[in-house]
Amino acid sequence: MQSDEWKAAAPSDEKTWKLLEKAVLAGVVEQRRARRWGIFFKGLAFLYVFGVMFMLSPWASLEKSAALKSHTALIEVRGVIADEERASADNIVGSLREAFKDKNTRAVVLRINSPGGSPVQSGYIYDEIRRLRGEHPDVKLYAVIADLGASGAYYIASAADAIYADKASLVGSIGVTASGFGFVDVMSKVGVERRVYTAGEHKTFLDPFMPQKEEETRFWGSVLETTHKQFIASVKQGRGERLKDKEHPELFSGLVWSGEQALELGLIDGLGSASYVAREVVGEKNLVDFTQKESPIDRFAKKLGVGVAEQISLWAGLRVPAMH
């Protein structure tokens, strides 16, 4: 009789043990999850504390402490000169003002590696360089061209007291360009009709899906020619008698020269790097970087926005005037 009762109770006990086992396992899993999250948040807290300690450490303030003594201020002009880019007028002008304002700045060096870009942005920087030079006559500004200092980048450089480059640097390209695509024949071949409604006789003159008109082509050429003349006038104003343009009118044709050739043509004043200029020309080898820096998040956001805009521009076949 007792044996039968035990057999009847056994399945019930087995279920109970299984439930207990599941409960224990669930508790273990939950503990593991809690431990993992705990490690994660502890890691974040450690990184935060480490970051704060680094910001307050001597390494982070090394450049700031270097700026507390006599130095040559360095400002980088890298990449395309355009609004919202690393080499925008806002960034470069802000850096220039900080460098000139610093009482320990012996001289300013613009280290340039750029194909050019917007004539407007380049003009803003050019004008600010000349203004600051007038406001701080005792602080010289030198432009140093690395691999490339062409078009709008040379426009900026011409405002400096003197320009240096490597013998193999590419210098010049004093010209203006605007480009696009025409899709008129493609549209007709695929049987697509363009429909556009405007108010203004020439409102569609840059539309890549509309045929070009001779009158509008001449007008656009006059816009580019005017911008080119402004470019030439600024370069002549900046370089003065050093520029051998009377003997070499091709200087303003858009051609580009090596640093060695540019020296002979009066486009630059000497051969040397930024450290050479600081050490041998300025006489202060202590270089302090005044280039404005962006956070990684800002850079990503800007690149994403600019990338989308560029794709739309390419699709439309439209390019604004640029010093490239």
Side-chain angles (χ1 to χ4, degrees), residues 221-275:
S222 71
V223 172
L224 301 182
E225 187 64 31
T226 300
T227 307
H228 190 205
K229 286 178 180 177
Q230 293 168 353
F231 188 1
I232 293 170
S234 295
V235 171
K236 284 185 174 181
Q237 182 184 33
R239 297 298 295 162
E241 296 299 321
R242 293 172 291 181
L243 196 66
K244 300 177 182 178
D245 56 300
K246 293 178 181 177
E247 304 95 315
H248 300 279
E250 69 274 13
L251 282 177
F252 305 130
S253 68
L255 290 174
V256 66
W257 287 270
S258 70
E260 190 173 356
Q261 293 171 314
L263 182 59
E264 295 175 0
L265 295 169
L267 288 167
I268 66 174
D269 301 286
L271 301 176
S273 63
S275 57

Side-chain angles (χ1 to χ4, degrees), residues 180-255:
F181 296 93
F183 300 106
V184 179
D185 292 339
V186 174
M187 296 276 284
S188 61
K189 285 180 181 178
V190 298
V192 178
E193 180 185 0
R194 170 69 163 162
R195 295 176 182 176
V196 59
Y197 309 98
T198 64
E201 183 182 355
H202 301 290
K203 189 61 180 176
T204 60
F205 87 98
L206 290 176
D207 192 319
F209 301 104
M210 302 289 285
Q212 288 193 94
K213 297 177 182 177
E214 187 177 342
E215 176 189 358
E216 292 174 344
T217 302
R218 284 199 304 271
F219 167 76
W220 191 229
S222 71
V223 172
L224 301 182
E225 187 64 31
T226 300
T227 307
H228 190 205
K229 286 178 180 177
Q230 293 168 353
F231 188 1
I232 293 170
S234 295
V235 171
K236 284 185 174 181
Q237 182 184 33
R239 297 298 295 162
E241 296 299 321
R242 293 172 291 181
L243 196 66
K244 300 177 182 178
D245 56 300
K246 293 178 181 177
E247 304 95 315
H248 300 279
E250 69 274 13
L251 282 177
F252 305 130
S253 68
L255 290 174

Side-chain angles (χ1 to χ4, degrees), residues 17-35:
W17 279 107
K18 284 183 178 179
L19 288 172
L20 286 172
E21 184 181 6
K22 285 182 180 179
V24 171
L25 288 174
V28 171
V29 170
E30 190 62 33
Q31 285 180 353
R32 286 177 179 173
R33 285 177 182 169
R35 192 180 299 116

Side-chain angles (χ1 to χ4, degrees), residues 72 109 273-287:
T72 298
V109 171
S273 63
S275 57
Y276 168 84
V277 171
R279 184 179 63 252
E280 303 296 337
V281 180
V282 179
E284 178 51 76
K285 64 180 181 179
N286 178 30
L287 278 166

